[in-house]
Structure formats: C-alpha cells, structure tokens
Amino acid sequence: MTQKSLRIWRRGSQILFFALFLFLLIQTQYRGSLKSAEQEIRLSYPVQIFLEFDPFVAITNILATGALYRNLFLAIFLIILTLFLGRFFCGWICPLGTLNHFFSWLHSETKIGIRRIHLQRYKKWQVTKYFLLIIALVLAIFGSVWFLALDPISLTVRSFTVAVFPGLEVIVDTFQSFFYSINFYPLQLMGEILSYGFGKFIFGFRPLFFRQSVLIGILFGVILLANFRVTRFWCRALCPLGALLGFLSRWSILGLEKQPSRCTDCNLCLFDCQGGDDPIPGAKWRKAECHLCFNCVASCEEGALKFTWFPGGATTIETVDLKRRKLLRGALAGAVLFPVLRSSVSYEAEVSPWRIRPPGALDEENFLERCIRCGECMKVCPNNALHPALTEAGLEGLWTPVLVPKIGYCEPSCVLCGQVCPTGAIWEISQDEKLGYLSPRVKDKTRQPVRIGTAFVDRGRCLPWAMARECIVCEEWCPISPKAIYLEEAVVLNSEGKPVRVRRPYVDPERCTGCGACEYACPVKDRSAIYVTSVGESRSRKNQFILEKRRRE
Amino acid sequence: MNRRQVLERLSKLVALSGASLGLGAFFKARSRRPEARYVSLTPRRQETPEDPRYPDLAVVKNGAPEELVHRAVAALGGMARFVSRGDVVLIKPNVAWDRIPEQAANTNPDVVAAVCRLCFEAGAKNVIVTDVSCNDARRCFQRSGIAEAATREGATVLLPERRHFVRTDLHGEFIGIWPVLRPVLEVDKIINLPIAKHHSLTSVTLGMKNWYGIIGGERHTLHQRIHESIVDLADFVRPNLTILDAYRILKRGGPTGGSLRYVEERQILVAGTDPVAVDAWAAWTFWSIAPEKLRFLTLGKVRGLGEFDLQRVRIAQFDLAS
C-alpha cells in the first residue's frame, strides 16, 4: 500500500464515521414496538457513544467532578491512540471535521490561486483554540463545563437535534402537504411515501420542534460557511477538542518527513492541507495542527513528503505554539470567567421558576459540573418536553435542558433522558426509582418519586374558578395515584345570575411531582390555567416550600 | 435607434403591460378569505338491526378474558351477525394512557386479541385497532400490551399521526367540525371495545365516552359540555357492536388510575348492540348509579341511541364458573 492510497482510506473512514454518527443520532429516539410489551422502555443502541469517546468531555468530567462517569472511560482509548498517532481523530473520525472538510472542498471564490496558497500557510490566530481550551479546563476545575458547548461532538449533536432535523422536517412536511393537497392519486401516494419514509427511518413518530432552533442553527451555519473563506476555519482556529488532541500529539511517533532536495516549490501540498500545518519543505511542520488527512502526501508529485514512524532527517517539527506567558493568560481568563458566570443572581439568589430540570438531574451545582449541552436528552425525549435554556438557568445555564410542560410534559414511566446523558448531569435512574411508590412494582410505599417541580392553579384563568364552566381536564390527566389534583364541588353564579355546579381544582403539593401533564392538557391553550414551576424539585435542598414529608426525602 | 426598433420596443412594452393587467385581474378575481376545508358526511347509521332471537345485552361472568368474549359474542348470535366476509373492521379499544394492564386504565389486551381473532374467523379482510391516545401513543400501545396482542392476531395497529385525520362535520349539537380519524369514516364495521372506569366529571367512563378517542384537535374543551358531546359523538359513530371489558375495572381514581388499590378484578364482560343499555348496566352494576341520573344516558335515549331503563332491556346472563 502506497501512502497515496491513504487519502482514499481516510475518505472512506470519514464517510463511514459520519454515517455512523448520523445513524446513532437518528436512533436517539424511542420508536415504540408493536411486537413487545416490555414494561421498562430503553434504547437498544449506545446512541451517545461518540460523546463517550470524546477526551475533552472525559477530561473536563474528571476536572469538575474528580471522577469519570459511566462509559466516559472509553475516551482513554482515544487519548492513547492520539498519543501515538497525533490528531488523526480530526481528519478521520470527527463528524464536524468531516462536515467542515466537505464545505471547505466546495468551490469558493476567495480560495483560488496564489491567495489560496497564502491562506493555507500556518497562521498565528490558530492558537486561539488553545486559549479556549485552557479557559475551558480552568473553568472545569472551578466546576463549570460551560465551554463544553464548543465541543465539536456536543455542538454537532445539538445543532442537528435542535435545528437541522426540525428544519428538514418542515421541508418534508411542506412537500408532503403540497402533494396531498392535489387531488391526483399518484402524487398523494408520493406524499404518503415521503412522510412514511422520513417518519419511519429518520424523524420518528411525530415532529419535534425546539426553542432557539434559529439561534443554534445560525451559529452552526456560520461555522460551516466560514469554510468558504478559510479551509476548516473552525478546526484550525476554534475547536477546543482539536486543541486538546494537539497538545496530546506532542510525543506522537507518526510524523511527516520532508525531503527539501526533491521539492520543486510547486505548493501543491499546501493546496489541500486541512490543518494549516505547513507541510511544505523549507518550513517547520506544525505537528499539533496536522489532521493526518494525507492530502499533502497524495498531491506531492516529486515524492518529497511521506509519513514515517519516528521522523527524523531534514524535518523540523514544531509542537504547540504557545509560550508559558500566554498559557497563564488563558488560565487567568478562565479563573476570571468563573465568578462572572457563577455570581449571576439566577444561580442561587433568584431561582427561575422555569428552570425545570429533567428527572434524575443532579442538584444545580453538580448539574453544571457535568452538563455539556449536547442535546441528547432533548433528542430522545418522546414528548418534546426538553428544550435548550436561554435565560431560564442564567448565563451559565445557556442551552442546558429545561422542561417546558406546555409543549410536552414529563411521562412518568420514561427515563430515557438519563439513559442517553453521557456525563451524568441527568443521572441514569430506573423507572422504579423515578416513580417510587407510584410504580406497581415498588413494594415500599414510603419511597418517594422524583419530583421536578410543583403545579399551581391560576384561578384567574381556570374555567371553573373564573368562568363558571365545568372542566376538570387537569385532574383527569394527573398521572399521580392518588391524584395530586383534587376537586371541590362548588355552586357559582354564571353571567345570567343562575347557579351552576362546578368542580374546582386544587393541588396537593405533597403528591405533585411536577410532571406537567396538567399544564400540557389544560384547554386554556396559550397560557395554561395550571402551570408547573421548579419549586419543590427533589434534587434541590433550597428550592423547597413544603414542610412535612418532602423535606425528609 | 430607427423607427422599426422603436416600434418593436414599444410593442413589447404594450404586450407586457397587457399581460400584467390580465394576470393582475386574474389573481384579483381569485382572492377569497381563506376558509378551512372539511368534509361533510351523513352520520354513520350502520348499527346492527335489532333481532328478536338474540338478547340486547349479554353479560358473562367468571372466566378468562377470551372465554368471556367467546361466550358473550356467541350469545348475541356469533360474530357473523356483525361482521361479513370481506369486511374491514375497526376495533376501538381504550388505549388512552401509558399504563400496564394490571392498572386497568386501558382495555384488557387479551380481550382485544380475542375480538380480533373472532373478526378474522368471521371472514374480515382486515382489522384495524386504533385509538387517539392521551399520553404518547407509542408508549400507550406498547405498555398496555394492546399493540402486541393485536399484532399477534394479524390486526393492523394504527398509531394516529397528523395525516390520519380528516376535518369532518359531525353534525352534532356541540361537536361541529372536528378532525376525525380517517378509518372511522372508511371502514365497513365498527366495534367499540371500552373498559369500565371511574371518571370525576361523568362519574363513569364506559362505551359512549370511548368515542372521544376518534377525534383529534382541542378535545379538552369538550369537557365543558361533556354529556352533550358524548352523545354527539355516540350519535355520529353508531357501532355495530359494543363489548365492555370489565375483567378488571378502575373503581376510583380514574380515568388514569395508577394505584392497584383502585383496581377490582370482576371478570365480567358485557356485550350488546345497544350502546346506551351497555353503559346503563355497567353504571348500575359497578357504581350503583341509577341510569336516569346519568345525563349522557338520558340524552342518548332522547336521540334514539338506545334504552337506559334496564327493565326494558333484554339481558342474558351467563356464569362460566357454574
């Protein structure tokens, strides 16, 4: 096998891993089974495994919590491989890297001729990513993994979940309803096939829509479009995982060997270089920038470039271009950023009523040590209940999951969000742990369920309370048993002065788990007459208001 | 520019202006205030005609779910009375909640399976089992065991999606245009397969209330006139047969239940061609509610849906234990 064919292998690997990434992301949903009646519903694939192989996630998990959660140990294998081989992950595996690679390859007016060759040389601004990495690591030591929103896997999962898939769904739906509206059977059939096919194999049972899809989608679009200006701009300049792998490649034994005597200065090696690592003879090879894409080797017609184990000879190698003083500056920035984020009032002094965390979520401090904003939980939630926070959890809680009961409530028997969370921000719990005494299988009837908030009746909007009309839908839907919503019969006057018998709902805060089924079902559509706020969530010691049982849980 | 060119240019402009005017007039004439489209249908009037040879109600006690079904349907003249060869049959169990069979919030899966089998034995071409669940349909159908039971018998399980609904004028007193599950409008025969449960607004939820599960849309507003809307729906969908599952009943805490303390195992099944009589019998037997106190029953009688006075209903009782 010649080294030129390695480029083909690299392409194959990129396609394969990207397909695997998409497949697992698509499988991050509960599809339901017509053939089995299992009582505890679980996903059958390790759908979050890309995140669990991610060293940036693993190292920040260690720094923030002093331990490695569940399958994050897998990342150690990637670290070891990188120690020996360098940043092969960026060139061969990373799904965002592959997307950036693809967009860089598309024709661009700015990247032509001599300009392109200049652009492809190593640039000083490529150290930005190391700054970001150091800030992220220092921040993690203090207990915030805010910067993990920039992890390429986390970013890609989140963007696809929140923006790309819902956008695709709108497109398919538009076509489908257009076909359907035409009274011509073959077209209608096509619409049917379209919606069946996409629904069956890609989207799942019902369309999911997310808050902030536009913001997250635009940011993703900017990252992809930047490739038209600078090849793999994100990977070269910003990616903190790339920076981490760059650091790790310091002692790697696979390297580029240059033979300047053969070089004719044709610059072809620069032309398709992905990392901006100066493969051209006569310059220092920037090892920490190289993605091992093998484009330079494949394009060199003189055979002046080749990858070898323990490269020596005429090659000069430069590792991470970061002086100690700059390093300290980055660390300082992280140290300053932490209090900036944490001192915002929303963390403790003013808890947002809408900061409703999914069941199994750790208390806010531990949660923020772990949540990497990947959006896996939002993707898997069958009720579309979880959404990226904007202000609900303060600046530090940006894009962390919050439950929005009006859009979807928390299904009492469902624990899928905990199954897919790679870092344990939503701890993996079993159905019986979540349900406590509400589960028919739990014998100990003092075991309390996981509570995520408490429901409150808005008497000014409630039909029986304010408008002399029957309703009781919230009580009907309440899945708690005995019901957390109870009714009081009352005779009230209607507008004609006639007595009307109605049943008015009350909430028993000792029973309510805050699942939000009542808020979801309330017929007062725009702002439900019963709504859940975070108070009483069992993960928090402070966000409590009822004396009795709940304080002892 | 010579004269010829000027004339050419001007004639082009005149033609374009004319075309603009024409198109503008065409589109102006098309302008209508948008109105939602819907289909208007005459209500289903396919209920099974009364037959003096068979009782109005068959009540079977003390047996396994499938035995109860077999005996009850046999007493009413066998499934062949209701389903003809080549029919497409819709079976509408109650699969509203994400609950397991022991919690008795959904129809017993063994009852569903037995009815599916009888339909196929009677020569049905296809049997569709569906319901517009309250909780996520995937979870409801899976955990209730109904998807598995129906699939095992060869029936088609339909989990409703947006495209399965047709905006339909139901011609009711309160229920006008609503999204209705398409198969309800298209199938040959309909079998109602409810479970007997408590409900805090109507006291009980039985057969007639089960038709809430064929419509989509904002059906939580129906509770404001619940008795009227139950009767409107029951008037629209007159089933060929109603089989009420009371193998386990949800005595309190309905319609969702949850706690096993609310469940009573009664091992009873009631089948009949008169939907009002089925509900009246169950309300009286299980909750001791006099049928004339339940407004949806009295309204139902007025509409000609059936008879709630149990003295006037011909009931055949069977006890499989004796």
Side-chain angles (χ1 to χ4, degrees), chain A residues 30 33-34 36 39 192 382 409 413 431 463 469-471 475-479 481-483 503 521 525, chain B residues 98-99 103 134-135 138-139 142-143 147-148 151 163 199-201 218 220 223-224 254-256 259 262:
Chain A
Y30 160 61
S33 163
L34 300 183
S36 86
Q39 294 191 0
E192 186 83 14
Y409 61 97
S413 68
Q431 187 188 302
L463 299 178
R469 274 174 179 270
E470 274 288 25
C471 184
E475 190 262 5
E476 174 182 337
W477 271 62
C478 180
S481 189
K483 284 183 185 290
R503 295 168 184 80
K525 242 344 201 204
Chain B
D98 176 23
R99 297 290 196 204
Q103 290 170 313
C134 293
N135 296 146
R138 294 163 293 181
R139 297 189 83 88
Q142 181 171 344
R143 292 185 78 239
E148 186 202 13
T151 314
R163 65 202 164 96
H199 191 275
S200 46
L201 196 52
E218 305 310 319
H220 301 148
H223 293 65
Q224 292 160 43
T256 51
S259 170
Y262 297 158

Side-chain angles (χ1 to χ4, degrees), chain A residues 355 451-453 534-540 543-544 550:
Chain A
R355 193 187 71 190
R451 302 174 199 280
I452 58 177
S534 65
V535 73
E537 46 180 352
S538 36
R539 70 190 187 112
S540 167
N543 195 15
Q544 299 292 344
R550 297 179 68 158

Side-chain angles (χ1 to χ4, degrees), chain B residues 29 36 76 88 152 175 206 215 248 259 262 282-283 293 301 314 320:
Chain B
L76 291 175
V88 177
R152 200 174 56 222
I175 303 195
L206 303 163
I215 56 173
R248 297 189 190 91
S259 170
Y262 297 158
K293 294 269 171 62
K301 183 174 181 176
R314 293 173 299 132
L320 297 182

Side-chain angles (χ1 to χ4, degrees), chain A residues 40 46 85 91 97 106 153 202 244 265 285 367 391 414 469 490 548:
Chain A
E40 178 141 357
L85 301 175
L106 294 174
I153 313 287
I202 298 181
L244 177 65
D265 284 330
W285 178 55
F367 185 85
T391 56
C414 177
R469 274 174 179 270
E548 304 165 77

